[in-house]
Amino acid sequence: MSEDRAFDAEGWALRLERGLVGAGIDGRRARRLAEEAVAEARDYARPPEEVYGPAEAYAQELARAARAAVRGERRLDESRSGAPVLRLRNVGKRYGRKTVVRDVSLELRSGQIGAIVGANGSGKSTLLKICAGLVRATSGSVERVENVGYVPQAGGFSPLLTASEHFRLFGSLDGKNERESLVAGTRLAQSLGRRPSRKLGAARLSGGTQQKLNVVLGGINRPRLILLDEPYQGFDQGTYTDFWEQLFSWREAGAGVLVVTHILHDLDGVDWTCELHPQEES
């Protein structure tokens, strides 16, 4: 970045910090957010205003996100629960003589988080793939909205592409230009406590960082239905907390979120659960 651009970046960061403080963000946190934004822009070799827009407007956006991150503000308000984004009626799945899923019915509405729970081998991942349209149900019916984000347990990325290249690729599927894609991906990654590397391909990232990338790619285009299959393997405690706060943020924004989890204390934050049980061969 040239000296002129570096000077502009310092001024932009100062305006961002002041805007955050004016919006009620603690001064220390405001300074950290401004420093992170400038560092991310430097990674892209662009002025921060080109990446994020005017500092004052970005400060308001960050402040809204920070206020929404308070778990109490994200508890479900039944009056805000919207139209169904996913509906299953008596869904079953068999592989030969083995029944994996039997007679599952559920309805997920916009503004809700649902959880699929159950013992190992109970068909949780299979059911989520049916919800995503990746596996065809043997019986029953599945209705879903068209704009769906799917986050697998692992492997939802190209090993040779960097995070930024993934952002541009996935963003283009939604009609975003390069800048919009980078901003959307970077902001979501930041919410999970990560600043994407411009140089490392996905295969060279740690397991936990790969999982963060999966979550970002699942939500980068603001889908109406977001399906997550225990994507938090390798997360530390801080990132795990950030992951659930991001789910609450998606719910607050009106998405329907369905997550497979085996951690029971997670259920305090969801609106309903669907428990599966292992099936016997017939």
Side-chain angles (χ1 to χ4, degrees):
M1 194 178 295
S2 69
E3 290 186 8
D4 288 344
R5 286 189 167 190
F7 178 78
D8 290 344
E10 291 177 6
W12 185 92
L14 182 58
R15 293 195 301 275
L16 176 63
E17 182 180 340
R18 288 174 175 170
L20 289 169
V21 171
I25 302 300
D26 174 79
R28 182 177 299 178
R29 185 179 185 189
R31 187 173 304 109
R32 178 177 60 81
L33 288 171
E35 290 172 351
E36 289 178 353
V38 171
E40 288 160 3
R42 187 177 296 115
D43 277 349
Y44 295 128
R46 296 180 179 180
E49 185 153 5
E50 184 177 317
V51 177
Y52 297 106
E56 295 79 7
Y58 188 45
Q60 293 301 315
E61 183 174 341
L62 284 179
R64 284 194 297 270
R67 288 192 293 267
V70 179
R71 182 182 296 251
E73 293 179 3
R74 287 184 174 170
R75 300 295 297 183
L76 178 66
D77 179 347
E78 292 288 351
S79 67
R80 292 204 311 266
S81 182
V85 294
L86 175 69
R87 183 183 289 124
L88 274 57
R89 292 289 181 266
N90 304 116
V91 165
K93 180 63 182 178
R94 295 177 60 91
Y95 291 102
R97 296 179 58 192
K98 175 66 175 179
T99 297
V100 181
V101 175
R102 184 192 302 273
D103 293 333
V104 174
S105 296
L106 60 84
E107 181 177 271
L108 178 69
R109 292 177 172 269
S110 63
Q112 288 185 340
I113 299 177
I116 299 175
V117 300
N120 290 338
S122 59
K124 299 187 298 295
S125 293
T126 299
L127 181 63
L128 201 71
K129 289 177 180 178
I130 291 173
C131 294
L134 300 176
V135 170
R136 185 183 296 274
T138 306
S139 59
S141 64
V142 180
E143 301 173 59
R144 72 180 75 82
V145 295
E146 292 185 358
N147 189 2
V148 179
Y150 173 67
V151 182
Q153 288 187 20
F157 50 80
S158 174
L160 298 181
L161 296 183
T162 66
S164 298
E165 289 168 337
H166 277 94
F167 299 162
R168 290 195 291 267
L169 175 62
F170 277 65
S172 68
L173 300 176
D174 193 46
K176 292 183 177 66
N177 61 34
E178 179 179 326
R179 176 188 174 279
E180 292 169 335
S181 300
L182 289 174
V183 168
T186 300
R187 287 176 180 171
L188 187 49
Q190 184 179 356
S191 74
L192 297 173
R194 176 173 181 265
R195 184 159 59 89
S197 169
R198 294 177 56 223
K199 300 179 180 180
L200 293 181
R204 297 174 59 193
L205 302 175
S206 69
T209 304
Q210 288 177 346
Q211 295 297 67
K212 293 178 188 179
L213 178 60
N214 275 338
V215 174
V216 172
L217 297 180
I220 191 171
N221 291 326
R222 297 188 178 184
R224 294 177 59 197
L225 170 62
I226 304 175
L227 307 169
L228 305 106
D229 190 1
E230 293 186 301
Y232 40 72
Q233 306 301 321
F235 283 4
D236 58 30
Q237 184 58 44
T239 303
Y240 184 76
T241 300
D242 290 340
F243 164 75
W244 274 93
E245 293 296 349
Q246 182 57 53
L247 266 59
F248 300 140
S249 178
W250 281 327
R251 176 173 69 182
E252 183 75 12
V257 181
L258 185 60
V259 57
V260 169
T261 182
H262 65 277
I263 303 177
L264 295 182
H265 67 68
D266 292 341
L267 304 184
D268 291 339
V270 307
D271 303 304
W272 54 258
T273 63
C274 173
E275 184 174 4
L276 303 184
H277 303 278
Q279 302 295 318
E280 299 293 335
E281 289 191 13
S282 56

